Amino acid sequence: MTLPTRRIGPFTVSAIGLGCMNLSHGYEPFPAEEDAARLLNRALDLGVTFLDTAAIYGDGANERLIGKAVMHRRREFTLASKCGLGVHDGKRGLDGRPEAVVSTLDGALARLGTDHIDLYYLHRLDRNVPIEDSVGALVRAKEAGKIGAIGLSEMSAATIRRAHAVHPIAAIQTEYSPWVRNPEVAVLDACRELGIGFVAFSPVARGFLAGAVRDDRYSGSDIRAVMPRFLEPQLSRNLALFDRFRAVAQAAGCTPAQLAIGWVLARGENIVPIPGTRSIAHLEEDVAAAGIAIDPAALAAVDAIFTPGAVAGRRYPPAMQAQVDTELLPEELEDA
């Protein structure tokens, strides 16, 4: 199958990519390896040509999964992975030192079973290392042929500009959906100005805008179990917003997940959403959003629901927020 395409740096990719994290990280229970492999191959069959992973996902397990499952179809997709956020001495943390970038990249190449990753991101900003040093290591990796283009994840417009001065940045990856609007503060403008592609992770709000969350009884390993907006008393307020959102989707003739993805697609031609899922049925639903024309009135209705300050609770708890460089919204600054 063929999907509409968009440009991310030097790459032409399907307008909707696949975030592979869910298959190994963040949302248990994880599928069996054969089921995960089946989903990855189904994504390629559906015309998805952009797969996104990272070293931190399952502490390398996600990269190994992709290496086993789809590298025999390597010519069919653009491969993206990330460094800088990982497990160091048994603890999750940041390490943007050039030597750590090189070590993580070499490990990723081995896990993926390849000698080249198309798009390689610095996953988070290590505030103890100048961004110029981290990007410099990625430039040298590009010159060595190990990677094809450089990206940054969850970084501010100021950091993006500093990095771009060292070497052109191909893509910025940040969470973006109707209920996470932080990129609108400055990052989207910086991307448009500098000609950088934007990759939107969690476009269905970690399942919330697909109707997957109705209470806060999560497993202990579910990353939403510590995120304020997914917990009571904030969750009940947010579920009321979802009920309105679901009604808009029904009137528009699509599912809530498709409305969320369509909303992201409508925000700019340089934006590629990468929803993730453990379900082939949900994968097919998500990918089908590329062929649905969302009426502008429905998009306006979405914006009327998720007005500034409407969502209750912060995106991340303090410990996770400390690892994120992306700008806060005005209402988040007031709450700081």
Side-chain angles (χ1 to χ4, degrees):
M1 296 179 63
T2 301
L3 294 177
T5 60
R6 292 188 169 187
R7 294 283 296 180
I8 292 292
F11 310 110
T12 298
V13 302
S14 53
I16 297 174
L18 178 65
C20 301
M21 182 189 83
N22 303 41
L23 301 174
S24 313
H25 187 92
Y27 307 97
E28 291 191 30
F30 306 129
E33 185 176 292
E34 58 269 26
D35 293 330
R38 191 175 299 113
L39 184 144
L40 289 168
N41 280 280
R42 180 58 178 155
L44 299 183
D45 293 342
L46 290 169
V48 173
T49 65
F50 189 31
L51 302 183
D52 180 273
T53 183
I56 187 65
Y57 300 161
D59 192 15
N62 202 245
E63 290 175 326
R64 284 190 290 271
L65 170 65
I66 291 172
K68 289 182 179 181
V70 292
M71 291 306 282
H72 64 289
R73 303 176 66 174
R74 183 67 183 88
R75 293 185 179 182
E76 297 181 39
F77 61 92
T78 296
L79 174 63
S81 192
K82 312 177 196 71
C83 64
L85 178 62
V87 178
H88 310 286
D89 298 324
K91 295 183 180 179
R92 173 187 167 112
L94 297 172
D95 194 340
R97 295 172 302 150
E99 56 268 34
V101 169
V102 172
S103 175
T104 303
L105 172 56
D106 287 344
L109 293 169
R111 289 187 290 271
L112 288 160
T114 186
D115 60 1
H116 183 84
I117 296 172
D118 300 309
L119 174 60
Y120 204 56
Y121 296 90
L122 187 65
H123 205 158
R124 295 288 190 273
L125 176 65
D126 183 347
R127 301 180 196 277
N128 296 315
V129 179
I131 187 64
E132 292 82 358
D133 291 355
S134 300
V135 171
L138 293 173
V139 173
R140 292 187 290 275
K142 181 182 176 184
E143 292 170 345
K146 294 181 178 181
I147 64 174
I150 297 170
L152 304 174
S153 177
E154 290 274 50
M155 298 198 191
S156 67
T159 300
I160 292 166
R161 293 181 190 281
R162 285 176 58 188
H164 196 74
V166 175
H167 186 279
I169 300 301
I172 302 300
Q173 182 175 145
T174 291
E175 184 175 1
Y176 191 39
S177 72
W179 90 333
V180 171
R181 309 293 276 269
N182 300 73
E184 296 176 2
V185 176
V187 167
L188 288 175
D189 285 342
C191 288
R192 283 188 283 265
E193 176 189 336
L194 299 173
I196 299 172
F198 185 91
V199 177
F201 77 80
S202 295
V204 296
R206 305 183 189 276
F208 185 84
L209 294 180
V213 177
R214 298 307 297 178
D215 58 56
D216 63 357
R217 294 193 294 270
Y218 309 104
S219 69
S221 59
D222 191 310
I223 58 176
R224 294 169 294 192
V226 297
M227 294 179 173
R229 60 183 53 180
F230 287 95
L231 302 174
E232 294 294 1
Q234 294 83 218
L235 180 59
S236 290
R237 289 177 54 190
N238 294 332
L239 285 170
L241 298 177
F242 173 73
D243 288 342
R244 294 168 58 193
F245 179 80
R246 180 173 52 193
V248 173
Q250 184 175 9
C254 62
T255 68
Q258 290 169 339
L259 178 59
I261 294 169
W263 181 93
V264 173
L265 287 168
R267 305 305 281 186
E269 288 295 322
N270 68 320
I271 298 175
V272 174
I274 53 167
T277 181
R278 296 166 292 177
S279 160
I280 287 180
H282 290 163
L283 168 70
E284 293 171 347
E285 174 188 344
D286 292 347
V287 171
I292 298 174
I294 306 294
D295 188 275
L299 298 176
V302 172
D303 288 331
I305 295 169
F306 295 101
T307 54
V311 178
R314 286 192 164 216
R315 180 162 75 111
Y316 286 131
M320 295 177 73
Q321 184 62 50
Q323 295 185 334
V324 175
D325 186 46
T326 309
E327 292 87 354
L328 294 175
L329 294 165
E331 58 267 29
E332 293 174 311
L333 291 170
E334 293 172 3
D335 188 40

